[in-house]
Amino acid sequence: MSDVTAAAEARWHQLAREVEEHNHRYYVLASPVVTDREYDRLFRELQDLEAAWPALRSSDSPTQRVGGAPLDSLEKFSHPTPMLSLQNSYDDTEIRDFDQRIKRLLGEGTPEALRYVVEPKLDGIAMELIYMDGLLTVGCTRGDGSVGENVTENVRTIRNVPLRLRQPVPGMLAVRGEVVMQAAGFIELNARRVAEGNDAYINPRNATAGLMRNLDPSLPAQAPLRFYVHSVGVSDGLEYDGHAHFLELARALGFQTAEGISVCDGMEEVLGAIAAIGERRPGYPYAIDGAVVKIDDHGTQEELGFVSRSPRWAMAFKYPAEQARTKLEAIDVQVGRTGKVTPVARLQPVFVGGVTVTNATLHNADEIARKDIRVGDTVVVQRAGDVIPQVVASVEDERDGSEQVFVYPTECPVCGTPLVRAEGEVDWRCPNDEACPAWQTGKLEHWASRNALDIEGLGEKLIAQLIDAGLVHDVADLYTLEHRRDALIGLDRMAEKSADNVLAGIDRSRSAPLHRILFGLGIRHVGESVAKRIATHMLTWSALQGATQEELEAVEDVGPIVARAVRDWFAEPRHASLVQRLRDGGVLFPDEEPPRVIAADAVFAGKQVVVTGTLVQLTRKEAKDAIEAAGGKSPGSVSKKTDLLVAGPGAGSKLAKAIELGIEVIDEARLVELLGLG
Ligand code: IVH
């Protein structure tokens, strides 16, 4: 700063402090002491000063909240300790069981009334913020819990995130919380997006996810995003004896915590607090999808520890579906999988379950008749979690005679083909499966198929269910499904385990190689082997996207017809937005790897290494990748061919089999050591 005059520097410090103070008062405390005009004047003076003396523009300057230069890509970031998830419960009994279990684990002498903290469960995007010596240095998404994405530049734009802590905290402080979008601002944001010719975001959560992973920080900077602290990752220099105390300290440091948090002694108070949050739920300015009950005392938390990837000392409580009444303005019909026709209710906008609902499913013609739902009726609408809203019933008392019985269409509303209904079926279908959006389903099936993205468990039946439930419309929607786990479990024949398997399969597909993505997109004439040739030739998605006809024709096996088909596909704006949504959903479009040559002396060259039980340091995928990178294979089951078994806590039948077969067994620590990752 040698060029900066002392006067300029002094003024900068004063202004930066003042602007940040007003920010805090406005956004965190909601009690501003200056007018917007006065604030703008100070802010502009600060900007002007930094324009004149660029050396003054530090990372914690309030001017940095408006969004810096766009990034090329998001980098990965490893959480200092894994970000865990919560176990869910759905009724009071399960909460009482949770309390009993804890008491059993703690053993004799445990007081009857344990102290808990009950807080709302925010339905947003989990985020970790890392402060070094009080300065915000990293903001990182949860990712798979071990590794997320570094989205610091986007985090800086969130107005209630302190760029510098309000009190000195030496060393590392990693706080965790939820980024949410304010419900009111969401509507405005969407209106603006639509006016600018973009697609509306589905809900505040999706909007938040998309914005936080955006490469251009000026977009989140304009969105009504907020961050609420709910837990702590690492704390070098901040001491607290319980969760409530931590939250109090966090507030003193400048963070915001959710409204409606209470400290409860014993189960009766806990259940009361859960009910109270439930009652307040419609009035929250952001979506909440439950309550979280946590043991307050830090020592007790440590004693209880974790089971797989959830703490034993915390439990989420999911509220039943929220209902509201509104007017049914019209019924449209949508054509889904293989032409199946689904009636959709167009509703007078109503705020339910944290979002404004304008559409809801009516399932099928028989349902409409059975429930006697008429256009113009007042109807009861329900929404649970992220599930598409449903019309539960009509309110007969509210009729004035002007309501119209719905006349079901006889032709496909998309392509005009007469609809057909097979004997014994409830659904009408459009038989025109070639030209009709029924192909959407086909696309999904192709995407999930073995030689494309190979998503285990995502077969024809499930895809149909997902589309029917309105959970998925195209392949990009698959990557938001993990946030709708509950809805997934609610589907026919979906137990928790099978839902998790599917989600794991979808998650694995995020890092699928480029050639599989290219094949999966179903571009005309691009079969599996052509996709592979193109990908290994182009190596990156951006090269492929920008490739000219000539460049494509230079690829082996690619002639003018294939090249043209690829070019045409990329020229479609809706395909660009599909690709963007896939990216937003975490699909990595990794650079294609040139064929790898593994050294003959690699640790696991030619070896089969099976992994079982719980891993702590590595995720399953990391372990598998590392084993493969070291020349080995990591199949899912133990056989005579297995050379080594890595067994974590909870290992069961595979461990037994390995012992029986006399296979060497090691633990995770030894694996990490062998891989040279320790
Ligand atoms: S505590 C060790 N408290 O829910 C568990 N999580 O399944 C740490 N979430 O994505 C989480 N509100 O980000 C906690 N009041 C709250 C929460 C909350 C929302 C999210 C969290 C994570 C998921 C846990």
Side-chain angles (χ1 to χ4, degrees):
M1 286 204 191
S2 56
D3 292 335
V4 182
T5 64
E9 196 176 338
R11 180 67 186 144
W12 181 87
H13 277 291
Q14 187 192 3
L15 271 173
R17 207 174 324 118
E18 233 178 289
V19 169
E20 204 45 35
E21 186 61 30
H22 291 316
N23 241 336
H24 180 70
R25 287 189 154 274
Y26 185 89
Y27 289 106
V28 180
L29 307 177
S31 64
V33 289
V34 290
T35 60
D36 288 1
R37 218 189 148 95
E38 175 64 6
Y39 176 83
D40 288 345
R41 194 188 63 72
L42 291 168
F43 192 85
R44 222 162 298 135
E45 189 185 337
L46 185 63
Q47 276 180 322
D48 292 346
L49 194 65
E50 290 180 355
W53 309 99
L56 288 172
R57 192 177 292 134
S58 68
S59 69
D60 61 333
S61 167
T63 60
Q64 298 310 296
R65 290 187 186 278
V66 293
L71 307 170
D72 291 332
S73 63
L74 295 179
E75 284 181 1
K76 298 268 166 228
F77 186 87
S78 292
H79 297 287
T81 59
M83 281 180 86
L84 305 163
S85 52
L86 293 166
Q87 289 172 283
N88 286 328
S89 61
Y90 299 88
D91 58 35
D92 289 7
T93 318
E94 287 183 78
I95 293 289
R96 286 186 198 278
D97 289 349
F98 160 68
D99 180 57
Q100 288 302 324
R101 196 158 55 239
I102 287 178
K103 284 180 186 148
R104 244 193 343 267
L105 286 164
L106 295 177
E108 268 176 43
T110 310
E112 181 48 37
L114 285 168
R115 173 160 290 188
Y116 290 96
V117 176
V118 178
E119 47 193 65
K121 184 167 191 295
L122 278 57
D123 190 14
I125 301 299
M127 193 70 66
E128 176 163 70
L129 307 192
I130 297 180
Y131 291 80
M132 296 304 299
D133 292 330
L135 189 69
L136 174 66
T137 45
V138 173
C140 179
T141 61
R142 179 174 186 278
D144 63 6
S146 303
V147 179
E149 278 171 320
N150 186 331
V151 292
T152 314
E153 294 316 309
N154 292 340
V155 166
R156 275 190 215 293
T157 68
I158 303 174
R159 296 299 198 272
N160 69 342
V161 165
L163 300 175
R164 179 180 286 283
L165 301 177
R166 294 170 66 79
Q167 286 166 18
V169 177
M172 181 190 281
L173 176 69
V175 297
R176 287 154 184 196
E178 208 77 359
V179 178
V180 293
M181 184 172 290
Q182 294 181 315
F186 170 70
I187 297 166
E188 259 173 58
L189 180 77
N190 251 352
R192 214 164 54 219
R193 260 182 83 81
V194 172
E196 286 165 2
N198 296 311
D199 289 342
Y201 290 118
I202 301 169
N203 58 33
R205 225 202 94 92
N206 280 44
T208 307
L211 288 165
M212 287 317 293
R213 299 190 60 254
N214 208 287
L215 294 175
D216 178 0
S218 72
L219 285 173
Q222 292 162 34
L225 297 168
R226 297 289 180 269
F227 175 76
Y228 293 88
V229 169
H230 60 50
S231 52
V232 57
V234 176
S235 169
D236 289 343
L238 192 68
E239 289 192 13
Y240 46 89
D241 43 46
H243 182 59
H245 185 202
F246 164 72
L247 292 177
E248 192 185 311
L249 293 177
R251 282 188 291 268
L253 294 176
F255 293 104
Q256 202 161 356
T257 54
E259 289 128 76
I261 298 178
S262 40
V263 177
C264 302
D265 289 314
M267 273 300 101
E268 299 318 310
E269 284 185 32
V270 164
L271 295 174
I274 291 176
I277 293 174
E279 270 161 39
R280 272 185 72 173
R281 192 176 167 207
Y284 267 92
Y286 37 79
I288 67 170
D289 58 352
V292 186
V293 184
K294 301 173 182 173
I295 283 283
D296 182 48
D297 183 67
H298 209 238
T300 312
Q301 284 186 2
E302 278 184 358
E303 196 179 334
L304 290 167
F306 303 89
V307 51
S308 67
R309 292 180 88 81
S310 312
R312 283 205 189 82
W313 44 264
M315 179 66 88
F317 179 95
K318 296 293 187 89
Y319 294 109
E322 232 183 283
Q323 296 192 335
R325 285 184 177 197
T326 189
K327 265 269 187 292
L328 173 64
E329 292 180 332
I331 297 176
D332 290 344
V333 284
Q334 274 176 359
V335 187
R337 156 187 154 71
T338 55
K340 180 185 150 185
V341 169
T342 311
V344 176
R346 304 289 175 210
L347 305 165
Q348 214 168 64
V350 59
F351 192 72
V352 54
V355 295
T356 303
V357 166
T358 50
N359 302 319
T361 177
L362 286 160
H363 301 291
N364 56 52
D366 294 355
E367 277 282 297
I368 300 177
R370 191 175 62 76
K371 292 178 178 165
D372 186 22
I373 289 168
R374 304 181 191 176
V375 176
D377 265 345
T378 296
V379 290
V380 177
V381 181
Q382 136 176 331
R383 186 177 172 274
D386 248 355
V387 196
I388 213 85
Q390 303 173 351
V391 174
V392 183
S394 60
V395 187
E396 260 186 68
D397 294 353
E398 303 257 328
R399 284 190 181 149
D400 64 8
S402 67
E403 297 77 17
Q404 302 276 313
V405 173
F406 178 61
V407 183
Y408 217 77
T410 53
E411 290 171 358
C412 172
V414 179
C415 67
T417 311
L419 297 177
V420 294
R421 173 147 89 163
E423 236 187 88
E425 280 198 7
V426 286
D427 296 315
W428 289 89
R429 286 176 195 283
C430 167
N432 179 13
D433 57 348
E434 253 195 34
C436 209
W439 54 265
Q440 274 191 348
T441 313
K443 289 245 164 201
L444 275 156
E445 287 173 8
H446 176 66
W447 179 263
S449 66
R450 174 98 68 88
N451 297 333
L453 280 289
D454 191 18
I455 304 177
E456 219 175 298
L458 186 61
E460 195 182 327
K461 285 219 177 80
L462 179 57
I463 289 174
Q465 283 195 70
L466 290 169
I467 289 181
D468 291 354
L471 286 167
V472 166
H473 300 99
D474 62 16
V475 296
D477 291 337
L478 294 173
Y479 300 92
T480 59
L481 262 187
E482 64 205 349
H483 311 307
R484 304 170 176 200
R485 184 171 170 272
D486 291 346
L488 198 59
I489 292 167
L491 296 176
D492 200 11
R493 295 202 203 171
M494 259 290 148
E496 291 218 6
K497 199 162 172 226
S498 37
D500 285 344
N501 285 342
V502 171
L503 290 176
I506 293 174
D507 190 39
R508 273 194 300 277
S509 75
R510 286 191 164 104
S511 44
L514 208 57
H515 64 270
R516 284 181 177 262
I517 298 178
L518 185 57
F519 173 58
L521 288 168
I523 301 172
R524 273 193 92 190
H525 308 300
V526 181
E528 209 190 328
S529 68
V530 167
K532 181 109 202 187
R533 289 224 190 280
I534 296 178
T536 37
H537 184 101
M538 296 290 170
L539 294 178
T540 68
W541 182 258
S542 65
L544 173 57
Q545 196 172 16
T548 62
Q549 177 85 14
E550 262 171 10
E551 283 165 346
L552 284 162
E553 285 185 33
V555 179
E556 203 184 338
D557 284 352
V558 174
I561 296 175
V562 179
R564 163 88 11 235
V566 173
R567 296 264 296 149
D568 286 350
W569 194 91
F570 278 106
E572 276 276 343
R574 71 195 158 92
H575 291 152
S577 89
L578 179 74
V579 168
Q580 185 56 47
R581 286 174 49 238
L582 284 166
R583 283 191 192 280
D584 290 346
V587 178
L588 297 173
F589 294 80
D591 292 354
E592 188 76 11
E593 282 189 20
R596 189 167 38 196
V597 188
I598 292 172
D601 62 352
V603 190
F604 293 138
K607 297 259 194 282
Q608 286 210 358
V609 184
V610 176
V611 181
T612 187
T614 310
L615 299 187
V616 182
Q617 274 174 276
L618 302 173
T619 61
R620 277 297 173 87
K621 179 163 164 28
E622 285 165 349
K624 191 169 177 351
D625 287 351
I627 290 165
E628 282 171 8
K633 284 217 173 77
S634 186
S637 57
V638 173
S639 72
K640 278 189 209 147
K641 289 193 223 145
T642 309
D643 295 292
L644 194 61
L645 181 78
V646 182
S653 60
K654 285 181 200 169
L655 177 59
K657 188 158 181 197
I659 293 170
E660 192 190 312
L661 293 171
I663 292 164
E664 188 186 348
V665 179
I666 60 170
D667 64 5
E668 185 185 6
R670 177 74 185 134
L671 174 71
V672 167
E673 197 181 312
L674 285 172
L675 289 167
L677 299 173

